[in-house]
């Protein structure tokens, strides 16, 4: 009689860093012979990978845990919410175990305790790139964990700890495995990508027998040798970020930079414990574009931060007009339990936060529409995401998956998902592009 193969259900919430943690857990589960179940009913237990950054994420995570308990009954909780004291146990005391983020060993220990593995992991075969949650043609490459900054609105360091950089040789080996498995785009992620290697004093490692420094510029250059798209996310605006712009201009990595500026009022930035030299920031953006005219700059901002006045908000709008950023996200400030900003005076009424958010997004929409209109009649290389009888949906170098825009290719019905194509842009709005095959 065949042995029952233990099956684990998996629910993953949150950011790409959480997805990367999930992929490591899924890979280890498969390595040890566990099957991954697509339904609560077929699973012997369920792992829920949570987010705990803002109140809405906490609520979503607690709801997901509750659903898994109701549908299956045996639940292990991991992720950022697990690091927030007894929040999970207070809401759901029947969970089997709770761990924090990047806790592979603790999760596997809990799985072994409640669902013993069938056989020795050394006899199992898994894909060299591991188990991933993304499509086959792109993957997240996490280069470090934690953060050394203490931004007043953020609790990431208390959830994930201080910066811990992965050895550069390990990062490059994973990147090579992903490329060998067919990945066409690597999205480099961390809490603070530009701080990579600071904790190990930029220690020199080895990749394919050659020395390689654990530092963002050197890592980006090495990744650029793999012949695929390389996209940098979560880049704190240190001075040495300027060093990667020539790599973009030379086509070694994508001309795309994700820099969370957060605000433009020096007074608010000081309260946030963020860099506050806005004139210097604008000058750097100009230099970046002088070196690499096609660079797409993405950023995120917070409106309604405690103490934000009408004048502070106007400074933010003025910055948007002058900076002419390509991709922008914005959030109304939301108190996060444990964040230092909660103690600041001058709370902004919720209605005013939402009003400012709407004005901000309307202002940026006009900027985005004008910048995208400049691409009409240009030829662009795109990576195909979806294909049906009506055409193809793709992304350009300026479009990170799930957060930026799309390129709709009207005559792309014969393209293949995961392949590159040359298109000519025919139309644009404030978010997306339309194109035909070149």
């Amino acid at each position: 009689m065949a042995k029952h193969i233990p099956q684990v259900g998996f629910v993953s919430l949150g950011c790409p860093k959480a997805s990367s943690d999930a992929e490591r857990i899924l890979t280890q589960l498969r390595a040890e012979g566990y099957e991954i179940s697509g339904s609560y009913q077929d699973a012997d237990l369920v792992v829920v990978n949570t987010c705990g950054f803002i109140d809405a994420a906490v609520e979503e995570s607690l709801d997901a845990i509750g659903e898994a308990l109701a549908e299956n009954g045996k639940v292990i909780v991991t992720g950022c919410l697990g690091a927030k004291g007894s929040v999970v146990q207070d809401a759901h005391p029947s969970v089997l175990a709770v761990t924090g983020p990047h806790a592979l060993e603790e999760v596997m220990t809990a799985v072994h305790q409640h669902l013993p593995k069938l056989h020795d992991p050394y006899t199992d075969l898994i894909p060299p790139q591991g188990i991933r949650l993304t499509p086959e043609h792109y993957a997240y490459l996490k280069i470090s964990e934690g953060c050394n900054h203490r931004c007043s609105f953020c609790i990431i360091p208390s959830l994930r700890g201080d910066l811990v950089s992965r050895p550069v040789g390990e990062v490059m080996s994973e990147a090579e495995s992903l490329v060998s498995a067919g990945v066409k785009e690597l999205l480099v992620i961390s809490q603070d990508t530009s701080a990579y290697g600071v904790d190990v004093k930029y220690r020199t490692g080895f990749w394919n027998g050659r020395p390689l420094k654990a530092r963002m510029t050197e890592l980006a250059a090495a990744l650029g040798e793999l012949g695929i798209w390389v996209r940098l996310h979560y880049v704190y605006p240190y001075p040495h970020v300027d060093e990667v712009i020539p790599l973009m201009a030379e086509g070694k990595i994508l001309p795309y930079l994700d820099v969370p500026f957060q605000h433009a009022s020096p007074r608010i930035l000081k309260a946030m414990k963020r860099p506050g030299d806005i004139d210097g920031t604008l000058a750097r953006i100009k230099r970046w574009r002088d070196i690499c005219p096609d660079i797409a700059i993405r950023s995120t901002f917070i409106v309604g931060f405690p103490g934000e006045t009408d004048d502070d908000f106007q400074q933010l709008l003025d910055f948007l007009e002058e900076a002419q950023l390509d991709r922008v996200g914005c959030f109304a400030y939301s108190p996060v339990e444990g964040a230092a900003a909660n103690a600041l005076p001058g709370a902004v009424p919720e209605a005013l936060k939402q009003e400012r958010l709407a004005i901000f997004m309307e202002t940026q929409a006009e900027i985005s529409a004008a910048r995208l209109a400049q691409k009409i009649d240009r030829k662009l290389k795109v990576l195909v995401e979806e294909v049906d009888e009506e055409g193809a949906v793709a992304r350009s170098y300026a479009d990170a998956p799930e957060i930026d825009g799309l390129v709709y290719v009207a005559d792309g019905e014969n393209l293949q998902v995961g392949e590159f194509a040359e298109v000519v842009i025919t139309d644009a709005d404030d978010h997306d592009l339309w194109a035909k095959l070149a």
Side-chain angles (χ1 to χ4, degrees):
M1 183 177 177
K3 291 184 178 180
H4 169 70
I5 299 176
Q7 298 199 52
V8 177
F10 206 97
V11 178
S12 188
L13 307 172
C15 66
K17 277 87 71 180
S19 295
S20 182
D21 288 348
E23 290 170 347
R24 293 185 65 219
I25 296 169
L26 287 166
T27 296
Q28 189 63 32
L29 286 167
R30 289 293 293 119
E32 296 189 10
Y34 293 94
E35 293 287 344
I36 308 303
S37 173
S39 70
Y40 290 122
Q41 291 70 30
D42 294 334
D44 296 298
L45 62 76
V46 178
V47 176
V48 180
N49 188 29
T50 61
C51 179
F53 184 49
I54 61 175
D55 291 347
V58 171
E59 184 176 345
E60 181 185 17
S61 293
L62 291 175
D63 287 346
I65 295 167
E67 178 180 297
L69 284 169
E71 296 292 333
N72 181 276
K74 295 182 178 181
V75 177
I76 294 169
V77 178
T78 186
C80 286
L81 185 58
K84 299 185 75 168
S86 61
V87 171
V88 174
Q89 291 96 331
D90 290 345
H92 299 294
S94 62
V95 296
L96 300 176
V98 180
T99 80
H102 55 95
L104 172 63
E105 291 183 3
E106 292 92 332
V107 172
M108 293 309 302
T109 296
V111 171
H112 296 156
Q113 179 182 350
H114 298 284
L115 185 64
K117 58 185 177 180
L118 196 60
H119 48 74
D120 193 298
Y122 295 105
T123 66
D124 296 330
L125 295 176
I126 61 171
Q129 75 276 18
I131 306 299
R132 295 190 289 113
L133 301 178
T134 54
E136 293 182 359
H137 56 279
Y138 72 81
Y140 294 104
L141 180 67
K142 185 159 69 170
I143 63 173
S144 66
E145 189 59 75
C147 183
N148 289 342
H149 296 290
R150 295 297 183 265
C151 302
S152 63
F153 55 82
C154 182
I155 59 170
I156 291 297
S158 66
L159 296 177
R160 291 182 172 264
D162 288 335
L163 177 74
V164 179
S165 299
R166 293 178 63 192
V168 69
E170 179 183 300
V171 172
M172 289 304 302
S173 293
E174 180 180 348
E176 284 187 303
S177 294
L178 290 166
V179 173
S180 296
V183 166
K184 304 291 181 62
E185 177 183 8
L186 288 174
L187 299 102
V188 180
I189 60 169
S190 65
Q191 305 300 332
D192 180 2
T193 295
S194 42
Y196 176 66
V198 167
D199 56 313
V200 295
K201 299 180 179 178
Y202 304 122
R203 179 187 302 146
T204 297
F206 289 89
W207 172 49
N208 290 341
R210 83 183 211 212
L212 183 63
K213 187 177 287 188
R215 188 168 175 270
M216 183 181 71
T217 303
E218 287 79 356
L219 176 62
L223 291 171
E225 296 177 21
L226 299 180
I228 45 91
W229 278 6
V230 176
R231 190 183 300 275
L232 300 180
H233 282 282
Y234 312 114
V235 178
Y236 196 89
Y238 296 110
H240 71 265
V241 171
D242 296 359
E243 298 173 11
V244 301
I245 309 303
L247 298 177
M248 298 177 181
E250 295 163 11
K252 294 181 178 178
I253 64 175
L254 288 181
Y256 179 100
L257 200 58
D258 176 10
V259 185
F261 293 123
Q262 305 297 7
H263 211 281
S265 161
R267 194 179 67 83
I268 294 298
L269 286 167
K270 182 178 181 180
M272 289 179 168
K273 297 186 178 179
R274 298 284 298 183
D277 181 12
I278 293 305
D279 290 339
T281 297
L282 290 168
R284 290 181 75 192
I285 291 172
K286 183 180 183 303
R287 287 200 304 273
W288 294 345
R289 286 179 171 145
D290 287 342
I291 296 169
C292 183
D294 282 338
I295 188 172
I297 303 174
R298 152 168 272 281
S299 192
T300 51
F301 296 87
I302 298 172
V303 297
F305 191 79
E308 183 187 65
T309 64
D310 289 343
D311 181 63
D312 294 319
F313 180 61
Q314 186 58 51
Q315 290 180 57
L316 178 54
L317 297 181
D318 292 343
F319 175 84
L320 284 185
E321 294 287 0
E322 190 163 353
Q324 293 286 300
L325 302 176
D326 299 272
R327 299 296 192 189
V328 169
C330 186
F331 305 91
Y333 174 75
S334 173
V336 179
E337 184 179 350
N342 296 345
L344 293 174
V348 177
E350 188 61 34
L352 184 54
K353 289 182 193 176
Q354 295 304 321
E355 179 183 335
R356 288 176 178 171
L357 177 61
I359 293 171
F360 179 101
M361 294 309 296
E362 182 179 341
T363 300
Q364 180 58 37
E366 293 179 2
I367 294 169
S368 296
R371 293 192 68 78
L372 289 175
Q374 295 173 12
K375 296 184 178 182
I376 294 175
D377 294 330
R378 281 188 58 188
K379 182 184 288 188
L380 291 179
K381 182 178 183 179
V382 298
L383 182 57
V384 179
E385 293 288 324
E386 301 173 23
V387 178
D388 60 25
E389 65 277 2
E390 296 182 0
V393 180
R395 292 184 291 108
S396 75
Y397 75 88
D399 306 309
E402 299 185 356
I403 58 172
D404 292 327
L406 296 169
V407 181
Y408 295 93
V409 186
D411 54 350
E413 64 275 4
N414 293 321
L415 295 173
Q416 299 296 314
V417 171
E419 75 171 334
F420 289 109
E422 297 286 336
V423 302
V424 175
I425 305 303
T426 58
D427 200 1
D429 62 13
D430 59 2
H431 195 257
D432 301 314
L433 297 170
W434 282 260
K436 63 182 180 181
L437 293 173

